[in-house]
Amino acid sequence: MPDVDVIVVGGGPSGAIAAEDLARSGHSVALLDRAGRIKPCGGAIPPRLIADFAIPQDLLVARITTARMIAPSGRRVDIPIENGFVGMVDREDFDEFLRARAAEAGAMRLTGTYQSIDRAGGHPRVHYRDRDSGETRGLSARLVIGADGARSKVARDEVEGGDRIPYVVAYHEIIEAPGPVGQYHPDRCDVVYNGRISPDFYGWVFPHGNKASVGMGSLVHDVDLKQATADLRAASGLADCPTIRREGAPIPLQPLERWDNGRDVVLAGDAAGVVAPSSGEGIYYAMVGGRLAATAAAACLQTGRARDLRLARQLFMREHRTVFRVLASMQKAYYCSDERRERFVSLCHDVDVQRLTFEAYMNKALVRARPMAHLRIGLKNLAHLTRLVRPEFT
């Protein structure tokens, strides 16, 4: 008999939620994680995440009520977040809270580094290097959930196409942040669209209470991430703030075509590629992916049908495919040049764009109740892409 029902490899938001859900449903679960690894992340979470995953308010280090879009020319558009807010979390504390909650639900925590999987005993056996002893150990399970990040070793070893996922390299610095200074304000998220900061993505300055996350990402691998972040800090008036820590990691650009190996492994979170195009938002989608991986694993454990592992991807894409396609089209259209970035920020000046964007963000669904607003946005979008109008700002 295997040691546990499920081994979850990776203890970020996706893996922690998968482990918690399975443990609460009565399954024996082991959660394997490398301690001390913090993913570079702006830390933004929407109200729907807070509600769906029962996140306590004291984990929020800031509540953002305004988003500022900054064009290559330096012109700005401030977007008020009506009827809601963007919650900010520090991943160091947020991720550990989720892992601890999974353990409270009954998951067994293991600290170490995944090495490989074999099936000599008929069931998958995960081999890992234990952090404390340095020894290689093994644990067998009926199923494995790979939630070990964008360049997932589980995906590479077990799932077709898992070694070919495109990714953006992201880098940020957590700094000690003062009150309002220069271009920085502790109640506002700044998003910088500028080819000098990132030739194909964006830079960000996100408040975290008495800290701030300042960073950027790029698919262009020879971009000097640290220099671009230093330039971003200087432009925001944050160059002299003490740096607490620096972090870098890949962020996937699109969901994988397969999330399971057709036998006993299913992927979740960044390992499955579920980061929203254009925005780079990943925490909410990772946690949804973890929950759906747990759902698929529970179904497979009950029925014995390996094909039930496909449910994770099927259910996720049924809910979020359209949003991902819209955002991917927007990134392709507007992130290709500074002239297009200027037009994109100008488009954000439109009230319809502002309201629909943040309604969709906070509720994690396309807003379908305003057909005329969608029509107006479509026409304005077409006008910008065909250069029929000039960019405008207040």
Side-chain angles (χ1 to χ4, degrees):
M1 294 293 293
D3 298 311
V4 294
D5 291 330
V6 183
I7 297 174
V8 181
V9 180
S14 182
I17 287 296
E20 180 188 359
D21 281 5
L22 285 165
R24 290 194 187 282
S25 63
H27 296 287
S28 57
V29 185
L31 177 60
L32 173 64
D33 185 61
R34 296 186 300 168
R37 182 73 175 95
I38 307 170
K39 180 184 174 182
C41 175
I45 61 173
R48 180 172 174 183
L49 182 154
I50 296 169
D52 286 359
F53 297 97
I55 303 302
Q57 295 295 315
D58 59 10
L59 272 182
L60 302 182
V61 295
R63 290 169 173 256
I64 302 303
T65 55
T66 304
R68 170 172 286 183
M69 308 299 171
I70 304 175
S73 65
R75 292 187 287 187
R76 302 168 175 83
V77 172
D78 284 5
I79 304 176
I81 302 171
E82 300 178 349
N83 303 315
F85 63 94
V86 176
M88 305 302 297
V89 296
D90 190 317
R91 289 292 299 272
E92 182 177 19
D93 300 323
F94 183 74
D95 290 16
E96 177 56 24
F97 165 81
L98 296 175
R99 288 189 289 267
R101 193 168 70 176
E104 291 172 2
M108 174 176 61
R109 291 184 65 172
L110 304 173
T111 303
T113 304
Y114 165 84
Q115 293 184 316
S116 63
I117 295 175
D118 73 46
R119 296 173 176 81
H123 294 286
R125 185 174 185 84
V126 172
H127 298 272
Y128 66 97
R129 180 178 288 109
D130 181 73
R131 182 195 64 175
D132 295 329
S133 68
E135 299 174 351
T136 295
R137 298 180 178 177
L139 195 73
S140 63
R142 295 172 66 185
L143 298 174
V144 176
I145 294 177
D148 52 332
R151 301 180 70 180
S152 165
K153 292 183 179 179
V154 175
R156 182 186 62 198
D157 292 346
E158 294 290 331
V159 178
E160 181 181 353
D163 59 343
R164 298 190 298 273
I165 186 169
Y167 60 89
V168 165
V169 177
Y171 172 82
H172 81 156
E173 297 175 359
I174 297 293
I175 64 173
E176 293 182 13
V181 61
Q183 297 299 323
Y184 174 79
H185 196 283
D187 296 329
R188 186 187 69 226
C189 283
D190 290 357
V191 185
V192 180
Y193 299 96
N194 189 320
R196 294 188 298 276
I197 297 298
S198 172
D200 57 347
F201 206 54
Y202 63 82
W204 69 81
V205 181
F206 286 0
H208 284 191
N210 60 359
K211 305 174 186 176
S213 165
V214 184
M216 50 78 66
S218 177
L219 182 63
V220 181
H221 291 176
D222 60 355
V223 169
D224 190 334
L225 306 178
K226 293 184 178 180
Q227 184 58 54
T229 301
D231 293 342
L232 192 55
R233 287 180 60 169
S236 301
L238 301 172
D240 297 328
C241 295
T243 301
I244 298 171
R245 65 179 190 263
R246 299 177 174 88
E247 297 150 358
I251 296 177
L253 288 176
Q254 64 187 43
L256 289 173
E257 291 299 319
R258 286 201 62 168
W259 293 9
D260 69 277
N261 67 349
R263 184 177 180 182
D264 49 26
V265 174
V266 64
L267 304 177
D270 281 11
V274 292
V275 172
S278 178
S279 69
E281 182 191 359
I283 300 178
Y284 172 77
Y285 295 110
M287 294 171 75
V288 170
R291 176 152 288 172
L292 294 177
T295 299
C300 180
L301 290 170
Q302 181 176 1
T303 65
R305 297 187 304 239
R307 67 174 181 270
D308 286 344
L309 295 177
R310 302 175 194 168
L311 286 170
R313 190 180 192 280
Q314 290 170 353
L315 294 173
F316 184 94
M317 298 307 288
R318 181 184 302 170
E319 179 73 16
H320 301 291
R321 177 184 285 111
T322 301
V323 171
F324 273 50
R325 284 179 176 173
V326 169
L327 292 175
S329 297
M330 187 177 73
Q331 180 173 338
K332 183 177 180 180
Y334 284 111
Y335 286 17
C336 56
S337 70
D338 274 355
E339 191 268 341
R340 288 286 183 91
R341 294 184 188 95
E342 196 80 24
R343 292 182 175 277
F344 173 68
V345 176
S346 174
L347 188 63
C348 292
H349 175 61
D350 185 89
V351 173
D352 287 328
V353 171
Q354 295 178 9
R355 289 176 176 169
L356 292 181
T357 295
F358 277 99
E359 284 182 29
Y361 170 80
M362 289 188 292
N363 299 302
K364 284 293 163 281
L366 291 177
V367 181
R368 305 182 186 279
R370 301 181 185 173
M372 292 307 298
H374 283 285
L375 177 60
R376 289 193 297 269
I377 290 171
L379 293 174
K380 292 173 183 177
N381 184 58
L382 181 62
H384 275 286
L385 292 176
T386 56
R387 300 181 179 178
L388 293 177
V389 297
R390 294 171 59 88
E392 63 170 318
F393 298 84
T394 55

